[in-house]
């Protein structure tokens, strides 16, 4: 792969995916024009990588399982000045990314989405309650004014790499906030809509077990 800068708006969208063949086409179709896309697949058994490639996305394979491992791989592969991350399950709208990109272009170091559910089914109660608690903990510990863990986010690519995030599981978004806050980054939070996933199954907050596993990773990242 050449390292020459790519033409266009200068944004690469990293989409970590495990078994998202059903939702991915809608996500890719909603991408703003000119945005590059890297779908990072680890261990999907439903043909996610084939669907992504067929729809024109670059596909990266990450052998190490975990959300953080996939996101890290995608950020390493990005060749544009800005990198965004969002889920591949259809719960977030790529059409809302340009507002976050604009915030970073205008001076923020990190723009994160604050999820606003569009229906009751979008966010299971245990995940939502956990998120409220974690966000309160982040505000108190880090002194930053955020209300969500920043599952959809945009930053400049090289400074993002330079933060040196080590978590490869579900603590990744929190470790990013911890490191960004400690580095004195200007972090902006913008409202984004949060919908029920459009197909496939939740790997995290759809079950109490998944939420518990993620919460453990979260607390480790915050300690
Ligand atoms: N590459 C990769 N992606 C994952 C893994 N686990 C979850 N994801 C992706 O991370 C995103 C969020 O996961 P999801 O199952 O929607 O979690 P939920 O929103 O809490 O139910 C989705 O795009 C998943 O496909 C994993 O182990 N590897
Ligand atoms: Mg989801």
């Amino acid at each position: 792969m050449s390292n020459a800068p790519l033409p266009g708006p200068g944004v690469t969208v990293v989409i970590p995916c495990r078994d998202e063949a059903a939702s991915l086409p809608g996500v890719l179709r909603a991408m703003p024009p000119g945005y590059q896309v890297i779908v990072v697949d680890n261990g999907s058994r439903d043909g996610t990588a084939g669907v992504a490639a067929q729809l024109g996305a670059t596909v990266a394979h990450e052998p190490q399982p975990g959300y953080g491992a996939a996101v890290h791989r995608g950020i390493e592969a990005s060749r544009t000045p800005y990198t965004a991350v969002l889920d591949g399950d259809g719960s977030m709208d790529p059409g809302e990314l340009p507002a976050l990109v604009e915030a970073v272009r205008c001076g923020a170091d990190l723009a994160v989405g604050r999820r606003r559910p569009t229906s009751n089914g979008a966010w299971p109660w245990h995940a939502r309650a956990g998120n409220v608690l974690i966000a309160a903990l982040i505000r108190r510990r880090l002194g930053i004014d955020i209300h969500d863990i920043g599952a959809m986010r945009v930053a400049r690519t090289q400074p993002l790499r330079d933060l040196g995030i080590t978590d490869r599981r579900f603590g990744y978004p929190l470790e990013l906030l911890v490191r960004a806050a400690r580095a004195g980054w200007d972090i902006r939070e913008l409202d984004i809509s949060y919908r029920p996933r459009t197909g496939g199954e939740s790997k995290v907050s759809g079950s109490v077990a998944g939420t518990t596993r993620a919460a453990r990773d979260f607390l480790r990242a915050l300690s």
Side-chain angles (χ1 to χ4, degrees):
M1 216 191 259
S2 137
N3 285 323
L6 299 170
V11 181
T12 295
V13 184
V14 171
I15 312 182
C17 282
R18 209 179 79 207
D19 293 331
E20 300 294 5
S23 295
L24 200 52
V27 178
L28 296 178
R29 272 196 296 269
M31 241 357 117
Y35 279 30
Q36 307 289 318
V37 179
I38 300 178
V39 169
V40 188
D41 176 39
N42 51 9
S44 292
R45 289 157 178 233
D46 69 345
T48 290
V51 167
Q54 208 172 20
L55 290 168
T58 298
V59 179
H61 294 277
E62 172 53 50
Q64 184 183 340
Y67 170 89
V71 171
H72 177 72
R73 163 70 60 139
I75 291 169
E76 288 297 305
S78 171
R79 291 158 58 209
T80 51
Y82 302 97
T83 298
V85 179
L86 99 175
D87 290 351
D89 63 352
S91 62
M92 300 163 190
D93 180 4
E96 293 180 337
L97 279 173
L100 274 71
V101 171
E102 205 45 36
V104 176
R105 274 197 223 282
C106 290
D109 296 299
L110 176 67
V112 290
R114 176 180 185 177
R115 290 172 288 176
R116 300 292 198 171
T118 56
S119 69
N120 284 340
W123 213 345
W125 67 268
H126 44 87
R128 205 164 169 183
N131 198 63
V132 167
L133 279 175
I134 295 278
L137 209 57
I138 294 172
R139 285 197 298 277
R140 226 185 44 208
R141 290 259 186 97
L142 305 176
I144 53 175
D145 188 27
I146 67 114
H147 304 82
D148 197 354
I149 60 159
M152 177 159 139
R153 60 193 95 97
V154 176
R156 286 179 199 83
T157 307
Q158 193 53 47
L160 185 57
R161 290 189 188 122
D162 293 342
L163 282 181
I165 298 159
T166 57
D167 191 293
R168 295 293 175 260
R169 300 181 358 152
F170 288 99
Y172 185 99
L174 279 199
E175 189 185 340
L176 168 56
L177 289 176
V178 170
R179 286 182 183 260
R182 290 189 181 143
W185 277 26
D186 175 1
I187 303 171
R188 302 264 173 89
E189 189 177 54
L190 280 82
D191 283 353
I192 58 165
S193 41
Y194 193 51
R195 312 174 292 210
R197 59 163 46 245
T198 50
E201 281 172 21
S202 165
K203 268 66 74 181
V204 193
S205 65
S207 65
V208 175
T211 302
T212 310
R213 208 165 36 230
R216 225 179 289 133
D217 284 358
F218 287 177
L219 292 173
R220 197 174 307 121
L222 270 179
S223 63

